[in-house]
Amino acid sequence: MANKLVSYFLPKPSARTFGPSPVPAGFIAADGLKYETFLARIHQAYLFDWYMEIGCRTGTILALSRGKTLAIDPYFQVDTNVIGPKPALHLFQQTSDDFFASGFLKNNRIALSTSFLDGMHLIEFLLRDFINTERHSHPNGVIALHDCLPRDHAMTTRDLDAVSALCWTGDVWKMLPILQKFRPDLKVTVLNCSATGLVVVSGLDPTNEVLAENYDLIIRNYQALELQAFGTERFFSSFGVTDAQSYLDAGSPDFARIAIDPGNALVPKFITP
């Protein structure tokens, strides 16, 4: 696998800036439930043994989890109570590459139940995060990927000097064709979560090394590829989009499979006067 790249501290994009505005021809607008609302309902409905989040920044999503939690971000700006009823919360203010290299997961025999990957929005970063996350996940685990459904070409730029912090998905849309080609064994559910989609990946195989073994080839073939050159309509027609609310109404089966007994949830009690 190629050497890790420099990490950049960029402001997190905000879904609130998109609104219901129409998208250009060839694009499919993700105008379902806000992704924050979807994840809040998942965490309200299910308790997970180990939840991991990459790209936490202010901790808005991080605060939702109720189980043991790992949070990785090179530049935390937490402005809310992120511990809540969690029995354990580990914060790692470092890059995800450094976190995985530390051996923390292996040394503590952690099998991740659910992970939310929302780190650096460049394909080489997300691909590495996915590889490392699956490697340390429970086979029934779930990995959720953010920002894979851009709303226009401008927000897919790889030029960090041209990034607008409020509307940047980068080129992580490439994860979908990459998984389609190299990991057809995975179950990939694309949700229409506003504003730039949420991809739910299940059927994980922690022993599968296909992506790791082909990492350099994948990056060589996909890194410079632009959505226009790939074909916007070709991209959006290559997968179905599932309504997020309908997915919740159906019991969120991928998440339900890895959830643990809600009776195990911690209820903190005030003891000292």
Side-chain angles (χ1 to χ4, degrees):
M1 192 177 295
N3 292 332
K4 64 186 180 183
L5 304 182
V6 176
S7 292
Y8 297 85
F9 302 152
L10 295 174
K12 299 289 287 183
S14 171
R16 292 173 297 179
T17 61
F18 296 103
S21 58
V23 298
F27 286 81
I28 295 178
D31 287 335
L33 286 176
K34 289 185 177 180
Y35 81 96
E36 301 100 327
T37 301
F38 176 85
L39 291 173
R41 293 182 183 175
I42 289 293
H43 283 293
Q44 289 166 2
Y46 300 113
L47 178 68
F48 304 111
D49 185 28
W50 279 104
Y51 168 73
M52 183 182 75
E53 185 170 316
I54 295 177
C56 312
R57 203 52 53 89
T58 62
T60 302
I61 305 300
L62 169 62
L64 301 172
S65 68
R66 296 181 292 133
K68 293 172 289 187
T69 299
L70 304 163
I72 300 96
D73 195 298
Y75 188 57
F76 280 99
Q77 293 178 301
V78 173
D79 57 7
T80 187
N81 175 13
V82 293
I83 183 65
K86 298 175 180 62
L89 172 62
H90 303 269
L91 301 178
F92 299 86
Q93 190 156 257
Q94 58 186 170
T95 66
S96 54
D97 285 317
D98 287 341
F99 167 73
F100 287 118
S102 74
F104 182 88
L105 295 172
K106 181 179 179 180
N107 294 338
N108 289 280
R109 300 180 179 179
I110 293 173
L112 299 168
S113 305
T114 302
S115 300
F116 177 48
L117 307 186
D118 192 21
M120 187 62 168
H121 295 165
L122 296 177
I123 187 58
E124 59 270 33
F125 285 83
L126 180 56
L127 181 56
R128 287 202 304 273
D129 284 345
F130 184 88
I131 291 169
N132 285 315
T133 299
E134 184 184 25
R135 187 176 287 152
H136 294 286
S137 291
H138 188 284
N140 288 334
V142 178
I143 301 175
L145 314 176
H146 193 212
D147 296 313
C148 293
L149 299 185
R151 299 178 74 91
D152 58 41
H153 290 294
M155 65 178 62
T156 67
T157 182
R158 288 184 54 84
D159 181 1
L160 298 179
D161 293 327
V163 167
S164 169
L166 299 180
C167 55
W168 183 54
T169 61
D171 64 343
V172 296
W173 62 268
K174 298 170 184 175
M175 279 299 296
L176 285 167
I178 289 171
L179 293 180
Q180 289 166 354
K181 180 174 182 177
F182 290 90
R183 292 296 306 280
D185 56 299
L186 294 171
K187 179 186 176 185
V188 178
T189 303
V190 181
L191 300 176
N192 69 340
C193 289
S194 175
T196 51
L198 193 68
V199 176
V200 174
V201 184
S202 58
L204 306 179
D205 180 0
T207 66
N208 191 304
E209 292 294 319
V210 170
L211 291 175
E213 291 170 355
N214 288 279
Y215 177 85
D216 292 333
L217 172 66
I218 294 170
I219 296 305
R220 188 161 59 246
N221 290 339
Y222 284 88
Q223 189 174 50
L225 181 65
E226 295 184 353
L227 182 55
Q228 286 176 303
F230 182 85
T232 306
E233 292 186 6
R234 172 190 173 194
F235 170 69
F236 281 100
S237 65
S238 70
F239 53 84
V241 178
T242 300
D243 178 64
Q245 183 61 61
S246 298
Y247 182 86
L248 290 172
D249 293 342
S252 312
D254 303 297
F255 293 93
R257 191 173 298 112
I258 191 60
I260 61 176
D261 185 347
N264 292 328
L266 176 68
V267 180
K269 297 180 179 179
F270 187 79
I271 298 177
T272 57

